Amino acid sequence: MVESLLIDPKTETTYIYRADGSIQSNRTFGEPLSGEDVLSGFSLDLTALRS
C-alpha cells in the first residue's frame, strides 16, 4: 500500500514510499503515476510537469 509519493520534476524521478517501509523509484515521466489500491482509478500524467 502506498504511504506517500514524492515527485521531483527536475530529475523526472518519482519515489513511492510504501507502508511496509519499501521505496520504489522511477526515473521516467513517460508513464502515468497510478494511485494503486489507495486511490483506485487515480492516474497522473507526469509529462505535464516537464520543464
Side-chain angles (χ1 to χ4, degrees):
M1 175 172 19
V2 174
E3 186 78 16
S4 62
L5 302 169
L6 174 66
I7 302 170
D8 184 346
K10 188 171 187 173
T11 63
E12 292 194 12
T13 305
T14 58
Y15 299 92
I16 302 169
Y17 297 88
R18 302 192 186 286
D20 66 3
S22 65
I23 303 170
Q24 175 186 347
S25 66
N26 299 316
R27 295 198 53 102
T28 179
F29 274 16
E31 296 180 22
L33 185 62
S34 165
E36 298 181 1
D37 56 342
V38 175
L39 293 171
S40 181
F42 174 80
S43 180
L44 177 62
D45 178 8
L46 296 169
T47 60
L49 300 177
R50 285 185 169 145
S51 301

